[in-house]
Amino acid sequence: PPPPPPPPPPPPPPPNVRVVESVAGASTEPAAVLASTMEWWRGYYSTVHRLFGHRQRRVVCSASSAEEVFASFWSEAARLFGDVDAAALPAGVSALCEPDDALSSLIVVAGEAAELDAYRAVRQNLALALALLGLAESFTLSAFHPRDTFELRVEEDGSRTWTVTLPHPLVHIVKRKSEK
């Protein structure tokens, strides 16, 4: 079957609300990319962070193509299953947190592949690949793009601004517990 259609764009904001679509001063250095993304992750997914934070791999993929994001994803999936030989880090990927007993991987996407349409296509293809390969029961996949993470902020003068809260797109993959 063909992949599902992309989700509809978010509705336009009311006329009295200004939209800010970029995170000012976002760095491209892997450590800074991860630090700013982890600040968002801890704030919006604190329960998940509490449960998986100490057993979560964290990598930054400075991808210029969808293929590089796919390679990063499958490398992380192999690592979560313990196949370290098949899990060599692709070029342009920096592993910044590597617990021995990881249950999940947080892949932060920086670079050209982070562009909205390219990222959504990658996310849809990953979900489809997991299903087609019979791995949907082995992994839980979640993905977020900055364009989907707005927050309404009220300024001191009373004006309201929709502001992007996530600095970089990310993919979170969790190894599910086996039913053995």
Side-chain angles (χ1 to χ4, degrees):
N16 62 338
V17 174
R18 184 172 55 93
V19 175
V20 178
E21 291 198 24
S22 64
V23 176
S27 173
T28 58
E29 288 297 314
V33 166
L34 182 63
S36 61
T37 303
M38 287 306 299
E39 182 178 329
W40 179 88
W41 181 258
R42 284 188 293 269
Y44 288 90
Y45 288 88
S46 60
T47 301
V48 175
H49 182 67
R50 256 190 335 273
L51 293 173
F52 293 110
H54 65 290
R55 294 183 68 185
Q56 180 184 67
R57 285 180 49 79
R58 297 181 190 124
V59 299
V60 175
C61 175
S62 300
S64 60
S65 70
E67 290 79 12
E68 292 171 1
V69 179
F70 292 135
S72 300
F73 177 85
W74 292 114
S75 171
E76 290 303 304
R79 282 186 183 276
L80 291 175
F81 265 103
D83 190 356
V84 179
D85 295 336
L89 284 176
V93 175
S94 303
L96 301 172
C97 181
E98 301 184 73
D100 291 333
D101 58 347
L103 290 177
S104 73
S105 289
L106 191 67
I107 305 166
V108 182
V109 181
E112 294 172 30
E115 188 271 322
L116 180 63
D117 291 334
Y119 181 78
R120 284 189 173 159
V122 165
R123 179 184 66 199
Q124 289 172 346
N125 283 310
L126 287 174
L128 183 61
L130 284 173
L132 289 174
L133 294 171
L135 296 172
E137 297 299 318
S138 301
F139 293 107
T140 298
L141 173 69
S142 56
F144 305 94
H145 191 277
R147 278 298 307 264
D148 301 325
T149 60
F150 287 97
E151 176 179 270
L152 183 62
R153 296 192 178 153
V154 179
E155 307 298 331
E156 289 181 13
D157 65 359
S159 63
R160 298 180 298 170
T161 305
W162 284 104
T163 306
V164 169
T165 58
L166 176 63
H168 302 278
L170 61 88
V171 175
H172 187 228
I173 179 173
V174 178
K175 179 182 171 186
R176 289 185 177 182
K177 197 174 190 180
S178 63
E179 298 292 325
K180 294 179 187 178

